Amino acid sequence: MLQPPPDQTRPGAEPGARPAVLLDAVLFEAVLFDRDGTLIEDVPYNGDPDLVRPVPGARAALDRLRAAGLRLGVVTNQSGLAGGRFTEDDLARVNARVEELLGPFDTWQVCPHDGDAGCACRKPAPGLVLAAAAALGTRPDRCVVVGDIGRDMAAAGAAGATGILVPTEVTRAEEVAAAPAVAGDLDAAAGLILRRQRILKPATGSVGAGHGHRPRTLLAVRADSAGDVLVTGPAIRALAAGADRVVLLCGPRGRAGAELLPGVDEIIEHRLPWIDPDPEPVRRHGMEALIDRLAAVRADGAVVFTSFHQSALPLAVLLRMAGTPRVAAISDDYPGTLLDVRHRVPLGIPEAERALSLAVAAGYPLPPNDDGRLRLRADRTLDRMPPGEAAEPGFVVVHPGASVAARACPPDRCGEIVAALAAAGHRVLVTGGPGERRLTASVAARGGIDLGGRTDMGQLAGVIARASCLVVGNTGPAHLAAATGTPVVSLFAPTVPFGQWGPYRVPWVRLGDATAPCRHTRASTCPVADHPCLSRVDPAEVVAAVHRLAHRMPQQALEEVA
């Protein structure tokens, strides 16, 4: 049986004590730091406390986080123990010196193994992060991991935690490109953590959106694809908690996702030509019909959710013409009198938090019992399985299609991935929509079970919920996985930032070339020959990623550490 890493509790703490969970935390409860190269200068195999040198600004950054009520921990690989480079007493003295210089940490999690041990704790495995979360009485998705190299970010992802990379001279360019978030130093990392907390915390007296009473009806708008609608789910639930009724305006591509969201009472489907990727001409009678439909809602207010490259102002004009008394949206452009709440969000914030921050700014925070993760309506997902072989849990799902061609892994490579997973002993289900039957048939022929065209979105969510892992590109089913808690091997084309659009608060492993020339182009069709960002994914890497996501510390070990 795998052994848990030793937990070195800071001096003066009661042995075995479990720190209390932060009841007022908005998003994060703990920040976990790599030690060498992140908190202190990297001295290879250091067993001498006199050689400990904090990186510039470390103490001040840590104290900012402590003052905000966040618990702090250290998660560090120390293979020098296994190699005999230093003793456990040496390690304890070095760690004590770190605390003397930087202040106390609430937990220390150390992997003493070398790289050949195959343990569950050595980063990039998630064991240290999982153990630290357990020791602090919280969940990994309520933790941030701050480190200086790719394996720190990989451990965070595989655990379901948030990762922030603080590069040094030894950090490789591809590690920087692949990181969910990057900060220039520890102070900037602390600022990013606190800013993400702050934008989700309502201002004093803001609840109720200034109406003085509970709104009867709120109109929410997300006129984009199903994946975009799904990541807006926490914000929709916030509106539903503050109003008697929520009407959601969405486009035809997002309707299937809208039907799965808790808190939606009615759906209006309309294609908005300034949002839809295949827009129809703007015609007066169409806009007048939409104005009439919006007026019939008789909403007390509207909250218009958009992606960072979209404008809410055209719809705001129509809402004003429909008589909507209060309109809130994110807008960098000057809105004049179109918006009552003009909200701004820094770049790089995950889309789910970006949308939720708008709901908060409009006066509608999540209730205290809602943790802000993606959610689905159970009555339209988990109980709606397709007949046949998908009923037994424990399989791996491969979803080869994508709503945008540039984000899809090439079919031949997907087939090789299915073959590799099957050869490794996994039962593989291949999923896709009604228009993807030829694709799923060719991919499944390499050793999988073809479910192409056999599931609607609710049934697909049910399949994914019972899977041990989902292998998928940046497309709607990745967000279904996040909403059902299913780990994701993300074949992520870098056309959009991973930190904004990657699987949200669920364990993940990212594969693909994050430095490809298509990086941050938002291209819908691959602008580079041979689709190099995904066509070169090694199927063996996918098998290893599935193994990493399943390779977690036994529950008994976690309980012993905690």
Side-chain angles (χ1 to χ4, degrees):
M1 178 180 292
L2 294 170
Q3 296 299 313
D7 177 24
Q8 300 177 0
T9 305
R10 64 181 177 87
E14 181 182 349
R18 179 191 292 270
V21 174
L22 294 177
L23 297 179
D24 60 346
V26 178
L27 180 61
F28 303 124
E29 294 176 346
V31 185
L32 311 175
F33 293 88
D34 172 58
R35 195 190 77 174
D36 303 322
T38 301
L39 291 174
I40 61 174
E41 295 179 3
D42 189 4
V43 177
Y45 304 113
N46 182 28
D48 183 355
D50 291 337
L51 298 180
V52 173
R53 300 285 185 275
V55 301
R59 180 62 189 253
L62 296 175
D63 284 345
R64 286 182 69 190
L65 297 172
R66 292 184 181 110
L70 290 159
R71 302 192 183 281
L72 306 185
V74 179
V75 288
T76 177
N77 291 349
Q78 295 296 330
S79 61
L81 278 174
R85 303 294 187 98
F86 50 78
T87 67
E88 289 189 17
D89 286 343
D90 293 332
L91 177 63
R93 290 188 299 115
V94 168
N95 289 346
R97 179 60 174 162
V98 173
E99 290 209 333
E100 181 182 344
L101 295 172
L102 296 181
F105 292 90
D106 298 291
T107 187
W108 285 78
Q109 299 295 334
V110 179
C111 173
H113 308 111
D114 61 29
D116 298 326
C119 64
C121 50
R122 181 176 173 82
K123 295 177 290 185
L128 293 179
V129 179
L130 297 173
L136 296 174
T138 188
R139 301 192 315 247
D141 68 284
R142 304 283 278 176
C143 297
V144 183
V145 177
V146 180
D148 66 316
I149 56 177
R151 71 166 65 104
D152 299 317
M153 300 300 97
T162 292
I164 299 178
L165 185 73
V166 180
T168 68
E169 64 276 3
V170 304
T171 312
R172 300 195 304 270
E174 57 267 29
E175 294 175 328
V176 177
V182 179
D185 54 27
L186 286 182
D187 185 66
L192 176 57
I193 293 166
L194 297 177
R195 182 164 63 249
R196 285 178 63 177
Q197 294 268 66
R198 186 169 57 250
I199 64 173
L200 299 184
K201 188 173 183 179
T204 302
S206 66
V207 178
H211 288 283
H213 59 85
R214 179 181 173 89
R216 294 185 59 187
T217 300
L218 288 176
L219 175 70
V221 182
R222 187 64 201 244
D224 220 317
S225 69
D228 301 300
V229 171
L230 291 172
V231 298
T232 312
I236 300 294
R237 298 200 305 271
L239 300 186
D244 295 336
R245 178 170 171 263
V246 172
V247 178
L248 176 60
L249 170 63
C250 68
R253 297 184 307 125
R255 172 135 198 169
E259 291 175 344
L260 302 183
L261 290 184
V264 175
D265 297 292
E266 180 185 343
I267 296 173
I268 298 174
E269 181 182 318
H270 194 93
R271 190 188 303 269
L272 300 185
W274 53 91
I275 299 292
D276 198 89
D278 298 310
E280 299 175 348
V282 177
R283 294 188 172 92
R284 178 173 178 171
H285 67 84
M287 295 299 99
E288 290 177 343
L290 179 56
I291 292 170
D292 291 342
R293 184 67 185 87
L294 295 173
V297 174
R298 301 179 65 85
D300 296 296
V303 183
V304 183
F305 299 103
T306 53
S307 290
F308 70 98
H309 61 282
Q310 298 170 342
S311 175
L313 299 185
L315 185 62
V317 173
L318 303 186
L319 288 166
R320 290 305 193 200
M321 296 177 71
T324 306
R326 193 169 188 273
V327 182
I330 295 172
S331 181
D332 289 323
D333 297 325
Y334 174 63
T337 59
L338 295 177
L339 300 180
D340 299 283
V341 177
R342 179 196 186 188
H343 185 50
R344 298 185 183 184
V345 183
L347 293 176
I349 301 296
E351 284 291 307
E353 292 172 29
R354 186 177 187 272
L356 181 55
S357 75
L358 173 59
V360 172
Y364 303 102
L366 282 170
N369 62 346
D370 193 321
D371 63 6
R373 299 178 68 178
L374 304 191
R375 293 279 184 267
L376 302 176
R377 290 183 54 169
D379 62 320
R380 297 187 179 180
T381 56
L382 301 185
D383 294 333
R384 301 186 63 239
M385 296 286 292
E389 304 208 44
E392 295 298 324
F395 44 81
V396 175
V397 172
V398 174
H399 190 91
S403 58
V404 175
R407 303 177 193 168
C409 187
D412 289 346
R413 186 48 48 103
C414 287
E416 293 170 1
I417 289 170
V418 168
L421 288 168
H426 295 284
R427 184 164 165 252
V428 183
L429 274 58
V430 180
T431 57
E436 297 174 321
R437 287 190 175 95
R438 291 182 61 185
L439 169 64
T440 60
S442 65
V443 171
R446 301 295 299 274
I449 299 168
D450 184 12
L451 291 185
R454 293 175 55 190
T455 60
D456 59 24
M457 184 163 284
Q459 291 171 322
L460 177 59
V463 172
I464 291 171
R466 287 165 170 79
S468 61
C469 186
L470 170 67
V471 181
V472 67
N474 176 23
T475 192
H479 306 304
L480 289 177
T484 58
T486 302
V488 178
V489 177
S490 181
L491 309 179
F492 196 92
T495 53
V496 294
F498 182 79
Q500 287 181 247
W501 289 104
Y504 185 62
R505 294 176 67 180
V506 68
W508 55 262
V509 173
R510 177 183 182 175
L511 297 177
D513 183 2
T515 66
C518 63
R519 178 175 170 83
H520 294 181
T521 62
R522 302 206 308 269
S524 57
T525 302
C526 183
V528 185
D530 300 324
H531 205 17
C533 67
L534 296 179
S535 64
R536 299 171 188 172
V537 170
D538 186 347
E541 289 184 311
V542 177
V543 175
V546 171
H547 178 69
R548 183 188 302 169
L549 291 170
H551 197 184
R552 295 180 169 230
M553 294 179 67
Q555 184 62 35
Q556 180 181 356
L558 288 173
E559 291 171 354
E560 290 173 359
V561 171

